Amino acid sequence: MKFRENVVRFMGGRYGSDQLNITALGVCMALLLVNTFVRSAVLYLLVLAVMIWSVYRTMSRNIGKRRSENEKFLGMVNKCRSTLHLWKRRFADRRTHVYRTCPSCGRTLRLPRQKGEHTVCCPCCHSDFTCNVR
């Protein structure tokens, strides 16, 4: 029980682990698996650098900086996820709907596929624009 109390006291005021650290350690594991077949010194040094960086982030006392790094990382991950979701949805809807971008606000609109030229009102900025569908 004394060891546990010492660890809790040592970690007090330190940042700990977050999604960025978990991802970094997952990348380390994947690179180590690849390195078992490739046997590259450069890849080994890269794995070592990522591990040291992850431990540094875990033990850091600068909680605000680590939190902002994690928020930037999560922002990038969410942006990639939303882009992939849009591509998946576009592919699933390719026969029944078309996707057009509003020229005023840049928002992507999902429109029913109807032949000819149509006037579309953007629900976001309420501007009208014409849309051609073949």
Short mmCIF file of all heavy atoms in Angstrom, two decimals, residues 54-89:
data_model
loop_
_atom_site.label_atom_id
_atom_site.label_comp_id
_atom_site.label_asym_id
_atom_site.label_seq_id
_atom_site.Cartn_x
_atom_site.Cartn_y
_atom_site.Cartn_z
N SER A 54 5.99 10.76 -25.38
CA SER A 54 4.75 10.38 -24.70
C SER A 54 4.94 10.37 -23.18
O SER A 54 4.08 10.85 -22.43
CB SER A 54 4.29 9.01 -25.18
OG SER A 54 3.12 8.63 -24.54
N VAL A 55 6.06 9.84 -22.72
CA VAL A 55 6.34 9.85 -21.27
C VAL A 55 6.52 11.28 -20.77
O VAL A 55 6.04 11.64 -19.69
CB VAL A 55 7.58 8.98 -20.96
CG1 VAL A 55 8.04 9.17 -19.53
CG2 VAL A 55 7.29 7.52 -21.25
N TYR A 56 7.18 12.12 -21.57
CA TYR A 56 7.36 13.53 -21.21
C TYR A 56 6.00 14.21 -21.04
O TYR A 56 5.77 14.95 -20.08
CB TYR A 56 8.20 14.24 -22.27
CG TYR A 56 8.18 15.74 -22.12
CD1 TYR A 56 8.93 16.37 -21.13
CD2 TYR A 56 7.41 16.53 -22.96
CE1 TYR A 56 8.90 17.75 -20.98
CE2 TYR A 56 7.37 17.90 -22.82
CZ TYR A 56 8.12 18.51 -21.83
OH TYR A 56 8.09 19.86 -21.69
N ARG A 57 5.07 13.96 -21.98
CA ARG A 57 3.74 14.55 -21.90
C ARG A 57 3.00 14.05 -20.67
O ARG A 57 2.30 14.80 -20.00
CB ARG A 57 2.92 14.22 -23.15
CG ARG A 57 3.35 14.97 -24.36
CD ARG A 57 2.37 14.82 -25.51
NE ARG A 57 1.26 15.73 -25.30
CZ ARG A 57 0.03 15.37 -24.96
NH1 ARG A 57 -0.27 14.10 -24.82
NH2 ARG A 57 -0.92 16.26 -24.78
N THR A 58 3.16 12.77 -20.34
CA THR A 58 2.47 12.20 -19.18
C THR A 58 2.98 12.81 -17.89
O THR A 58 2.20 13.10 -16.98
CB THR A 58 2.66 10.68 -19.16
OG1 THR A 58 2.14 10.13 -20.36
CG2 THR A 58 1.94 10.04 -17.99
N MET A 59 4.27 13.02 -17.77
CA MET A 59 4.88 13.52 -16.54
C MET A 59 4.91 15.04 -16.43
O MET A 59 5.35 15.59 -15.43
CB MET A 59 6.32 12.99 -16.42
CG MET A 59 6.40 11.50 -16.34
SD MET A 59 5.55 10.91 -14.88
CE MET A 59 5.64 9.17 -15.15
N SER A 60 4.46 15.74 -17.46
CA SER A 60 4.55 17.19 -17.49
C SER A 60 3.66 17.84 -16.43
O SER A 60 2.57 17.36 -16.11
CB SER A 60 4.13 17.69 -18.87
OG SER A 60 4.10 19.10 -18.90
N ARG A 61 4.14 18.94 -15.91
CA ARG A 61 3.35 19.72 -14.95
C ARG A 61 2.66 20.90 -15.63
O ARG A 61 1.88 21.60 -15.00
CB ARG A 61 4.24 20.22 -13.82
CG ARG A 61 4.71 19.11 -12.91
CD ARG A 61 5.47 19.69 -11.74
NE ARG A 61 6.03 18.64 -10.91
CZ ARG A 61 5.44 18.16 -9.82
NH1 ARG A 61 4.28 18.63 -9.45
NH2 ARG A 61 6.03 17.22 -9.11
N ASN A 62 2.96 21.13 -16.91
CA ASN A 62 2.34 22.21 -17.66
C ASN A 62 1.02 21.69 -18.25
O ASN A 62 0.92 21.36 -19.43
CB ASN A 62 3.29 22.69 -18.77
CG ASN A 62 2.84 23.98 -19.38
OD1 ASN A 62 1.73 24.45 -19.14
ND2 ASN A 62 3.70 24.56 -20.18
N ILE A 63 0.01 21.64 -17.43
CA ILE A 63 -1.26 21.02 -17.79
C ILE A 63 -1.97 21.79 -18.89
O ILE A 63 -2.54 21.20 -19.82
CB ILE A 63 -2.15 20.87 -16.53
CG1 ILE A 63 -1.48 19.88 -15.57
CG2 ILE A 63 -3.55 20.42 -16.89
CD1 ILE A 63 -2.15 19.75 -14.24
N GLY A 64 -1.93 23.11 -18.86
CA GLY A 64 -2.60 23.91 -19.89
C GLY A 64 -2.05 23.67 -21.28
O GLY A 64 -2.80 23.53 -22.25
N LYS A 65 -0.74 23.60 -21.38
CA LYS A 65 -0.10 23.35 -22.68
C LYS A 65 -0.44 21.95 -23.20
O LYS A 65 -0.76 21.78 -24.38
CB LYS A 65 1.41 23.50 -22.53
CG LYS A 65 2.17 23.27 -23.79
CD LYS A 65 2.79 24.53 -24.25
CE LYS A 65 3.74 24.19 -25.39
NZ LYS A 65 3.73 25.19 -26.39
N ARG A 66 -0.39 20.95 -22.34
CA ARG A 66 -0.71 19.58 -22.76
C ARG A 66 -2.17 19.46 -23.17
O ARG A 66 -2.52 18.78 -24.12
CB ARG A 66 -0.42 18.57 -21.63
CG ARG A 66 1.01 18.57 -21.14
CD ARG A 66 2.01 18.04 -22.14
NE ARG A 66 2.58 19.01 -23.03
CZ ARG A 66 3.59 19.85 -22.76
NH1 ARG A 66 4.14 19.86 -21.58
NH2 ARG A 66 4.04 20.68 -23.67
N ARG A 67 -3.04 20.16 -22.46
CA ARG A 67 -4.47 20.13 -22.79
C ARG A 67 -4.72 20.78 -24.14
O ARG A 67 -5.51 20.26 -24.94
CB ARG A 67 -5.27 20.83 -21.71
CG ARG A 67 -6.77 20.72 -21.93
CD ARG A 67 -7.56 21.31 -20.79
NE ARG A 67 -7.41 20.46 -19.62
CZ ARG A 67 -7.35 20.91 -18.37
NH1 ARG A 67 -7.42 22.19 -18.13
NH2 ARG A 67 -7.24 20.08 -17.36
N SER A 68 -4.05 21.88 -24.43
CA SER A 68 -4.23 22.53 -25.73
C SER A 68 -3.68 21.66 -26.87
O SER A 68 -4.26 21.62 -27.95
CB SER A 68 -3.58 23.91 -25.76
OG SER A 68 -2.18 23.81 -25.71
N GLU A 69 -2.57 20.94 -26.63
CA GLU A 69 -2.05 20.00 -27.64
C GLU A 69 -3.08 18.92 -27.92
O GLU A 69 -3.32 18.56 -29.08
CB GLU A 69 -0.76 19.35 -27.15
CG GLU A 69 0.43 20.26 -27.08
CD GLU A 69 1.62 19.63 -26.38
OE1 GLU A 69 1.49 18.50 -25.85
OE2 GLU A 69 2.68 20.27 -26.36
N ASN A 70 -3.69 18.38 -26.87
CA ASN A 70 -4.69 17.33 -27.04
C ASN A 70 -5.92 17.86 -27.77
O ASN A 70 -6.48 17.17 -28.62
CB ASN A 70 -5.08 16.75 -25.69
CG ASN A 70 -5.94 15.51 -25.82
OD1 ASN A 70 -5.63 14.60 -26.58
ND2 ASN A 70 -7.03 15.48 -25.09
N GLU A 71 -6.35 19.08 -27.48
CA GLU A 71 -7.51 19.66 -28.16
C GLU A 71 -7.24 19.87 -29.64
O GLU A 71 -8.10 19.63 -30.48
CB GLU A 71 -7.91 20.98 -27.49
CG GLU A 71 -8.59 20.78 -26.15
CD GLU A 71 -8.88 22.09 -25.44
OE1 GLU A 71 -8.61 23.17 -26.02
OE2 GLU A 71 -9.39 22.02 -24.31
N LYS A 72 -6.02 20.32 -30.00
CA LYS A 72 -5.66 20.47 -31.41
C LYS A 72 -5.67 19.11 -32.11
O LYS A 72 -6.16 18.98 -33.24
CB LYS A 72 -4.28 21.10 -31.56
CG LYS A 72 -4.24 22.56 -31.24
CD LYS A 72 -2.84 23.11 -31.37
CE LYS A 72 -2.75 24.53 -30.88
NZ LYS A 72 -1.37 25.03 -30.92
N PHE A 73 -5.15 18.09 -31.44
CA PHE A 73 -5.14 16.75 -32.00
C PHE A 73 -6.55 16.25 -32.23
O PHE A 73 -6.89 15.72 -33.30
CB PHE A 73 -4.37 15.80 -31.08
CG PHE A 73 -4.50 14.35 -31.44
CD1 PHE A 73 -3.85 13.85 -32.55
CD2 PHE A 73 -5.27 13.50 -30.67
CE1 PHE A 73 -3.98 12.52 -32.89
CE2 PHE A 73 -5.40 12.17 -30.99
CZ PHE A 73 -4.75 11.67 -32.11
N LEU A 74 -7.42 16.42 -31.22
CA LEU A 74 -8.81 15.97 -31.36
C LEU A 74 -9.54 16.75 -32.45
O LEU A 74 -10.39 16.19 -33.15
CB LEU A 74 -9.55 16.09 -30.03
CG LEU A 74 -9.10 15.12 -28.94
CD1 LEU A 74 -9.85 15.39 -27.65
CD2 LEU A 74 -9.28 13.69 -29.38
N GLY A 75 -9.22 18.03 -32.61
CA GLY A 75 -9.81 18.81 -33.70
C GLY A 75 -9.44 18.25 -35.06
O GLY A 75 -10.28 18.15 -35.96
N MET A 76 -8.17 17.88 -35.23
CA MET A 76 -7.74 17.29 -36.50
C MET A 76 -8.40 15.94 -36.73
O MET A 76 -8.83 15.62 -37.84
CB MET A 76 -6.21 17.13 -36.52
CG MET A 76 -5.47 18.42 -36.63
SD MET A 76 -3.70 18.24 -36.90
CE MET A 76 -3.20 17.18 -35.58
N VAL A 77 -8.50 15.13 -35.68
CA VAL A 77 -9.13 13.82 -35.80
C VAL A 77 -10.60 13.97 -36.18
O VAL A 77 -11.11 13.27 -37.06
CB VAL A 77 -8.97 13.01 -34.50
CG1 VAL A 77 -9.87 11.79 -34.48
CG2 VAL A 77 -7.53 12.60 -34.31
N ASN A 78 -11.31 14.89 -35.53
CA ASN A 78 -12.72 15.10 -35.82
C ASN A 78 -12.93 15.62 -37.24
O ASN A 78 -13.91 15.25 -37.90
CB ASN A 78 -13.36 16.03 -34.80
CG ASN A 78 -13.51 15.38 -33.45
OD1 ASN A 78 -13.58 14.16 -33.35
ND2 ASN A 78 -13.56 16.19 -32.41
N LYS A 79 -12.02 16.48 -37.71
CA LYS A 79 -12.12 16.98 -39.08
C LYS A 79 -11.95 15.84 -40.08
O LYS A 79 -12.70 15.74 -41.05
CB LYS A 79 -11.07 18.06 -39.31
CG LYS A 79 -11.20 18.75 -40.63
CD LYS A 79 -10.22 19.88 -40.77
CE LYS A 79 -10.38 20.57 -42.11
NZ LYS A 79 -9.43 21.67 -42.28
N CYS A 80 -10.99 14.96 -39.84
CA CYS A 80 -10.79 13.80 -40.72
C CYS A 80 -11.99 12.87 -40.68
O CYS A 80 -12.43 12.37 -41.72
CB CYS A 80 -9.53 13.04 -40.32
SG CYS A 80 -8.01 13.92 -40.65
N ARG A 81 -12.54 12.63 -39.50
CA ARG A 81 -13.72 11.77 -39.37
C ARG A 81 -14.92 12.34 -40.12
O ARG A 81 -15.64 11.61 -40.79
CB ARG A 81 -14.08 11.56 -37.91
CG ARG A 81 -13.22 10.58 -37.22
CD ARG A 81 -13.68 10.36 -35.79
NE ARG A 81 -12.82 9.41 -35.12
CZ ARG A 81 -12.82 9.20 -33.82
NH1 ARG A 81 -13.66 9.86 -33.05
NH2 ARG A 81 -12.00 8.34 -33.28
N SER A 82 -15.14 13.65 -39.99
CA SER A 82 -16.29 14.24 -40.68
C SER A 82 -16.10 14.21 -42.19
O SER A 82 -17.07 13.99 -42.93
CB SER A 82 -16.53 15.67 -40.19
OG SER A 82 -15.46 16.51 -40.55
N THR A 83 -14.87 14.40 -42.67
CA THR A 83 -14.61 14.31 -44.11
C THR A 83 -14.85 12.90 -44.61
O THR A 83 -15.49 12.70 -45.65
CB THR A 83 -13.16 14.75 -44.41
OG1 THR A 83 -12.97 16.08 -43.94
CG2 THR A 83 -12.87 14.69 -45.90
N LEU A 84 -14.37 11.90 -43.88
CA LEU A 84 -14.60 10.51 -44.27
C LEU A 84 -16.08 10.16 -44.24
O LEU A 84 -16.58 9.43 -45.11
CB LEU A 84 -13.80 9.57 -43.38
CG LEU A 84 -12.30 9.57 -43.60
CD1 LEU A 84 -11.61 8.70 -42.56
CD2 LEU A 84 -11.93 9.11 -45.00
N HIS A 85 -16.80 10.67 -43.24
CA HIS A 85 -18.24 10.42 -43.15
C HIS A 85 -18.96 11.03 -44.34
O HIS A 85 -19.88 10.41 -44.91
CB HIS A 85 -18.79 10.98 -41.84
CG HIS A 85 -20.26 10.80 -41.68
ND1 HIS A 85 -20.84 9.58 -41.46
CD2 HIS A 85 -21.28 11.69 -41.74
CE1 HIS A 85 -22.16 9.71 -41.38
NE2 HIS A 85 -22.44 11.00 -41.55
N LEU A 86 -18.56 12.24 -44.75
CA LEU A 86 -19.18 12.89 -45.91
C LEU A 86 -18.91 12.08 -47.18
O LEU A 86 -19.81 11.89 -48.00
CB LEU A 86 -18.67 14.32 -46.06
CG LEU A 86 -19.22 15.10 -47.25
CD1 LEU A 86 -20.73 15.27 -47.13
CD2 LEU A 86 -18.53 16.44 -47.38
N TRP A 87 -17.69 11.60 -47.37
CA TRP A 87 -17.37 10.78 -48.54
C TRP A 87 -18.20 9.50 -48.56
O TRP A 87 -18.70 9.09 -49.60
CB TRP A 87 -15.90 10.43 -48.57
CG TRP A 87 -14.99 11.56 -48.94
CD1 TRP A 87 -15.34 12.81 -49.37
CD2 TRP A 87 -13.57 11.53 -48.89
NE1 TRP A 87 -14.22 13.56 -49.58
CE2 TRP A 87 -13.12 12.80 -49.31
CE3 TRP A 87 -12.64 10.57 -48.54
CZ2 TRP A 87 -11.78 13.12 -49.38
CZ3 TRP A 87 -11.30 10.90 -48.62
CH2 TRP A 87 -10.88 12.15 -49.03
N LYS A 88 -18.33 8.87 -47.39
CA LYS A 88 -19.12 7.65 -47.30
C LYS A 88 -20.58 7.92 -47.64
O LYS A 88 -21.22 7.15 -48.37
CB LYS A 88 -19.00 7.08 -45.89
CG LYS A 88 -19.75 5.81 -45.65
CD LYS A 88 -19.59 5.34 -44.22
CE LYS A 88 -20.47 4.15 -43.93
NZ LYS A 88 -20.40 3.75 -42.53
N ARG A 89 -21.11 9.00 -47.12
CA ARG A 89 -22.50 9.35 -47.38
C ARG A 89 -22.71 9.72 -48.85
O ARG A 89 -23.73 9.35 -49.45
CB ARG A 89 -22.92 10.50 -46.48
CG ARG A 89 -24.39 10.75 -46.52
CD ARG A 89 -24.82 11.62 -45.39
NE ARG A 89 -26.25 11.85 -45.50
CZ ARG A 89 -26.90 12.71 -44.78
NH1 ARG A 89 -26.27 13.42 -43.88
NH2 ARG A 89 -28.18 12.88 -44.94
#
